Amino acid sequence: MTEWDKTLLILNPVAGKGKGKKNIDKIFGILKTKIRNLKLETSRYPGHITEIGRTAISEGYRHFITIGGDGTPFELINGIYAKRTSLPDIQLGMIPTGTGNSFLRDFVDISRLDQIINRILIGKSRPVDVVEFNYHNPGPEKKYFIN
């Protein structure tokens, strides 16, 4: 098992018509047996996960698990890397409960919740690039994405 110490579990309760919210007790229960310091944060409004990521990275978190769709890690990444002069290395596990989940379909061929959680806990991982893009809306803005 990989070392998942001081880990933040982030739930998007509206992704996939509430699929993650319906399974949060089961997911949290399984993860809590293997991760010593697991904290759960639930998004309350659009953009909240970005705020959660910004706060978590300043508190020293480097291990994250998202429960949601493709937008959940997008918001998290933008909170983690916002206004940073250097990009910290992080570990990100994703439990797909959205309607599309296109990013994870490119990486894994499983969809059962228990299999996905097990892959996270055993440290089944692969590096991905974080892409930075700059645009004007109307002023200059910077965003990050992995998908």
Side-chain angles (χ1 to χ4, degrees), residues 12-146:
N12 179 344
V14 298
K17 299 177 181 151
K19 183 179 174 186
K21 184 178 180 181
K22 291 174 192 164
N23 290 295
I24 190 59
D25 291 337
K26 177 182 179 180
I27 294 168
F28 188 78
I30 294 168
L31 292 172
K32 188 69 178 165
T33 65
K34 304 289 184 184
I35 300 171
R36 290 185 299 217
N37 189 0
L38 180 67
K39 179 181 176 185
L40 172 64
E41 289 279 353
T42 301
S43 174
R44 295 189 302 267
Y45 48 85
H48 188 216
I49 294 172
T50 300
E51 295 172 19
I52 291 169
R54 189 177 305 120
T55 300
I57 205 72
S58 70
E59 292 175 352
Y61 283 91
R62 297 298 182 267
H63 301 96
F64 302 89
I65 301 172
T66 60
I67 303 171
D70 291 322
T72 306
F74 174 78
E75 280 195 30
L76 177 64
I77 294 295
N78 278 282
I80 290 171
Y81 294 119
K83 301 178 183 175
R84 311 251 344 144
T85 55
S86 64
L87 302 180
D89 286 335
I90 65 166
Q91 286 185 317
L92 173 59
M94 292 183 268
I95 300 173
T97 61
T99 54
N101 304 307
S102 64
F103 182 73
L104 283 179
R105 271 197 314 250
D106 292 341
F107 285 92
V108 295
D109 58 354
I110 57 174
S111 59
R112 285 191 15 222
L113 185 60
D114 60 330
Q115 291 175 319
I116 292 165
I117 292 170
N118 188 53
R119 282 181 85 120
I120 291 169
L121 292 173
I122 65 170
K124 186 77 173 173
S125 66
R126 48 184 0 177
V128 297
D129 292 326
V130 174
V131 179
E132 175 185 299
F133 66 97
N134 297 287
Y135 64 100
H136 295 276
N137 183 31
E141 290 192 42
K142 182 185 295 187
K143 293 284 185 187
Y144 299 90
F145 66 92
I146 56 175

